[in-house]
Amino acid sequence: MSESHYLLGGELVEVVIRPNEARKDRPAQRFPLPRIKPYAPINVAIRYQDGTVHVRPRRGLRRADA
């Protein structure tokens, strides 16, 4: 099984597009309230067994081999 297969609620899904790891366009930090987080939102595009593709948070996905 490849590393792009995960379980979502007991159903096998495939991660099609992974999130970016760190933002490249982050401006210089300003005092006192930095409002931009160093990482982009953790959303992934997943493909279900029936072929539909949805974008959802990575929360709730479990590795299929674990």
Side-chain angles (χ1 to χ4, degrees), residues 2-19:
S2 90
E3 64 181 49
S4 65
H5 287 87
Y6 290 84
L7 291 173
L8 177 63
E11 182 181 354
L12 188 65
V13 295
E14 178 184 2
V15 173
V16 181
I17 301 174
R18 296 183 178 280

